[in-house]
Amino acid sequence: ERALRRQRVAEERFRRLAEHSPAIIGIRDGEDRIVQVNPAFRNTFGVRLAEVIGWRPAERTDLADVPGSDFADLVDAGAQVRDSDRARVWQGRIPHPDGHLVELLGRIFPLPADDGSVGIGEVFIDVTAHERARRELADAEQRVRAFFNAAEIGVLVLDLQAIVLDANPAALRLTGRGLHEVRGRTLDIALAPADLERNGPLWAELVAGRRGRYDLTVTLRSSDGRQRPARLTVTMVRGREGAPSTVLCLAVPLAPDTETVSLPARSLPSPGEAAVLERLAAGASLQQIATDLGMSRRGVDYRITRLRHKLRADGPGGAPATSAALIARAYALGILHPAVWPPRVADRQQADDRPE
């Protein structure tokens, strides 16, 4: 009697476990007929118990013929488990009556049948949403990697200690080095000491969260000794929880040509505009420029607008030029010397037409 009570309790425990489990559970007998499925099985596939009890998976050729279906492989896996008497992990897609595929992951294992033969037990979880998200993430990462490799500007991925984690081909061309030479190094591999000194406080503010990005005009040093002016845009990338994760450093090369372009007098910067342009190219903020030159913010904005029009730096359709585009245009026209630091404007200037 005690043994019978224990058996009944064990059977009730198993029944409740199967009834309330979120896992998909199915049991097949020694002749491969389904003898039991739990509510999770019925809910996942939208079937009633009477619709599945007694049918043999090997006879469901309609499910095996659905494009993308792994049902035939599931049948084969069950036969292998029965023959070997050893459990195995299985993952694949099973057709749903509505027409879509359900992605399952779990185990198939031998289970004693009532007649003493070897039956089959199956316990799966529905990973359809997870697998879809994983594939979408892999596709997104592949697209990002393609953009990363094809980008015309140099891109460096840095950790929070300014160590290079990755570099795209454009960045490697700018430095004249291979990825194995750049990875694991700091920015001192490509920047002059003066640029590193200017970058230090800005980097500290970025990592501390006091700014999200900053721009800096620097001189890039190649492995063969060549120097080239460039505009750096350094941006913090945050993880899912909002904590700092990695840093992106975009390097836009400025015109290396030192020849002076002949410009009409009306296109030359005035002394006030030249002073603003030099400080803007050095990475100063608009407020810093205003304070340094004793101007108002409105005066600085006025001169930047004048420079955009004079240098024709605006984008397609008259879109206002960014600071980086304006500086690049000034280098391209020979107004800023590409090999001089701090940035300096040539002596060719016209009278300032608006006193502060």
Side-chain angles (χ1 to χ4, degrees), residues 129-203:
H130 173 78
E131 287 299 307
R132 183 184 301 114
R134 184 187 63 79
R135 287 191 289 268
E136 290 174 353
L137 177 61
D139 291 342
E141 290 176 345
Q142 186 175 5
R143 288 194 295 270
V144 170
R145 173 58 61 174
F147 293 144
F148 180 77
N149 290 334
E152 295 288 338
I153 63 175
V155 182
L156 294 173
V157 182
L158 312 174
D159 66 11
L160 301 183
Q161 285 71 47
I163 302 297
V164 177
L165 302 176
D166 203 356
N168 73 337
L172 298 178
R173 288 194 296 270
L174 287 174
T175 62
R177 293 175 170 86
L179 183 59
H180 66 283
E181 298 175 280
V182 174
R183 184 177 287 162
R185 298 286 300 275
T186 60
L187 288 177
D188 62 0
I189 194 173
L191 299 186
D195 293 331
L196 292 171
E197 184 176 351
R198 294 169 47 246
N199 179 70
L202 298 173
W203 179 275

